[in-house]
Amino acid sequence: MKLATLKTDWGPRVVGVALDGRFVDLCEVDVKLPTTMREILAAPEGLIAAAHALAVGSVKGPFITGQLAAPVGNPGKVFCIGLNYRDHAIETNSPIPTEPVVFSKFSQTVIGPEDAVILPKVSHEVDYEAELVVVIGKQGKNIPKEEAYSYVAGYTCGNDVSARDWQKGRPGGQWLLGKSPDTFAPTGPYLVTADEVDPRSLKIGLRLNGETLQNSSTKELIFGIDEVIAHLSQLITLQPGDLIFTGTPPGVGSARNPQVYLKAGDRMEVEIEGVGVLANPVIAE
């Protein structure tokens, strides 16, 4: 099942994606369904109710149009895993990590498809990072690795946009500031439920202005999604709608020769097999 969030005159609206690509207004089919993705994920049997509404609505509607927004528009937590592709660690001359490297972004970094990534005036080395994003579906703490996938609602595409001159070029390294400028976490276009995706072997890539700069597979992940969930939940309670950016493959701009950094007028496209294509333009502040 594919779910999306649309921007409408009535605010954000969760919709189902029919097989013909039209959007089914799930809340019109089932008036008991919440209107936001986080609320649906948090509701008992929320995804089951959404699936039933999509099955009914796909036949005759009601259908709705609107601009796609981030599938989870206001996540409680945004986790990111660094250096989680072996060949990416090598290209950045970093040691292979022995446990997941974790940092975070603020929720206001999250934007949707076709929303503009805004280059801050104070950064001149902004980079792209295609990533598979996990959407947590239920609350959990101290989650065993063998149960971790049962806490996943689904997956979406993400772009861990990074201001390298802040992340690494400031005294002490300012990872939080380098990773958390406004608009630096595009996600979308859909939440594809976990039953439709095997995250262990998906083609993942990024095109910049039509040129492929990242091209790999999630089978190259150092730490699998189950390991990451178990690791995080040792210390932090995971909640419905939390996002986990799982790491980026090789080909980032800062590791290229010559280096490639984003500029106003660029267009980025993250494509992940079975999940979709996430496109975002780039503008200057």
Side-chain angles (χ1 to χ4, degrees):
M1 175 173 62
K2 290 181 180 178
L3 300 176
T5 298
L6 293 187
K7 301 173 184 177
T8 73
D9 293 339
W10 311 281
R13 193 87 164 178
V14 174
V15 298
V17 184
L19 293 178
D20 61 5
R22 289 187 292 177
F23 298 127
V24 176
D25 190 340
L26 301 180
C27 301
E28 283 292 322
V29 178
D30 182 351
V31 295
K32 295 180 181 179
L33 270 177
T35 59
T36 70
M37 195 75 75
R38 279 183 70 183
E39 291 175 310
I40 285 179
L41 296 178
E45 309 297 325
L47 283 180
I48 293 175
H52 182 263
L54 177 57
V56 172
S58 292
V59 177
K60 58 180 180 180
F63 300 106
I64 187 174
T65 60
Q67 182 182 344
L68 283 167
V72 182
N74 186 29
K77 295 184 285 296
V78 182
F79 299 100
C80 302
I81 309 302
L83 300 174
N84 202 20
Y85 284 74
R86 184 175 301 273
D87 37 10
H88 173 54
I90 292 171
E91 77 169 348
T92 58
N93 297 312
S94 301
I96 304 299
T98 56
E99 64 179 31
V101 176
V102 183
F103 58 93
S104 65
K105 290 175 176 272
F106 294 123
S107 62
Q108 93 282 350
T109 61
V110 176
I111 59 174
E114 298 298 340
D115 290 338
V117 169
I118 303 172
L119 303 177
K121 293 178 182 178
V122 294
S123 177
H124 307 287
E125 297 179 356
V126 178
D127 208 345
Y128 52 82
E129 292 190 6
E131 307 209 6
L132 177 67
V133 178
V134 176
V135 182
I136 295 297
K138 63 180 180 180
Q139 182 171 308
K141 180 77 181 289
N142 294 315
I143 299 169
K145 176 183 172 182
E146 57 271 20
E147 298 177 13
Y149 281 111
S150 69
Y151 287 80
V152 177
Y155 304 91
T156 192
C157 302
N159 191 340
D160 175 19
V161 182
S162 307
R164 301 297 190 197
D165 43 359
W166 282 78
Q167 176 191 353
K168 299 179 178 181
R170 312 290 289 199
Q174 296 289 336
W175 276 70
L176 182 63
L177 294 179
K179 293 285 188 174
S180 287
D182 296 344
T183 74
F184 270 32
T187 59
Y190 313 120
L191 183 157
V192 182
T193 50
D195 59 304
E196 294 196 4
V197 176
D198 181 357
R200 293 166 294 187
S201 183
L202 299 174
K203 294 178 183 177
I204 178 173
L206 179 138
R207 294 183 293 273
L208 181 63
N209 303 323
E211 180 183 358
T212 298
L213 297 185
Q214 291 185 281
N215 184 21
S216 187
S217 168
T218 57
K219 66 183 179 182
E220 302 297 333
L221 286 169
I222 298 171
F223 303 105
I225 289 166
D226 51 352
E227 295 175 273
V228 168
I229 289 174
H231 184 73
L232 292 172
S233 69
Q234 296 176 103
L235 298 167
I236 302 168
T237 300
L238 302 184
Q239 295 171 315
D242 286 349
L243 304 182
I244 304 174
F245 283 65
T246 56
T248 198
V252 297
S254 59
R256 289 182 167 272
N257 185 17
Q259 293 176 319
V260 176
Y261 291 116
L262 299 176
K263 62 185 184 303
D266 283 345
R267 182 175 177 83
M268 300 176 288
E269 295 172 294
V270 175
E271 183 168 4
I272 302 178
E273 179 184 7
V275 182
V277 178
L278 169 67
N280 296 93
V282 178
I283 65 174
E285 189 174 46

